[in-house]
Amino acid sequence: MTETLPFRARLTADIKEAMKAGEKERLATLRLIGARLKDADIAARPEGNGDISDDKIVALLRGMVKSRDESAAMYRDGGRPELAAKEEGEIAVIRGYLPPEMDDAALAAAIADAVNATGASTMKDMGKVMGALKAKFGANLDLGRANAVVKSTLGG
């Protein structure tokens, strides 16, 4: 499906496409994404929001990838490679909806800029740097990955 569609329209179109093509595993994963999205929308209603923002959708998808990654590792450690492969298949489908990640050089450059802009010099300044990165890159930045690089940059 085309990348230019809004996330929700793209997801709906991809579900229809997977149904027509008979891709059962992909369809199941797409439906899981849709269900998590609906749950998040419902949880946001008391705050006065109808649908969650794109940044929150990306965070939700990253969380789904992280939990499946951990499950795959546990399955592999437990001698269940077939279940690990299923989790990895779901990860591949979910990653198709995530924005492309920065390469290591671009991430290091962005962190160096943020450190210089905030005047950070010690681990106590880590929050300032992370805040600057989040403000500049939003959901397009994998904060877990950035966190490790910021720690090493600030001597943590």
Side-chain angles (χ1 to χ4, degrees), residues 3-19:
E3 297 278 335
T4 57
L5 285 175
F7 177 80
R8 294 167 195 277
R10 181 175 166 219
L11 180 64
T12 302
D14 286 352
I15 287 173
K16 289 177 186 176
E17 187 180 288
M19 285 168 52

Side-chain angles (χ1 to χ4, degrees), residues 115-132:
V115 167
N116 290 335
T118 59
S121 59
T122 66
M123 282 300 293
K124 291 180 181 179
D125 301 323
M126 186 170 173
K128 291 180 194 176
V129 175
M130 293 302 290

Side-chain angles (χ1 to χ4, degrees), residues 93-107:
V93 172
I94 296 167
R95 281 205 172 126
Y97 290 92
L98 287 170
E101 289 186 10
M102 283 185 189
D103 62 11
D104 291 338
L107 180 63

Side-chain angles (χ1 to χ4, degrees), residues 82-95:
E82 71 283 359
L83 294 176
K86 180 181 182 292
E87 296 290 329
E88 289 165 352
E90 289 181 3
I91 289 170
V93 172
I94 296 167
R95 281 205 172 126

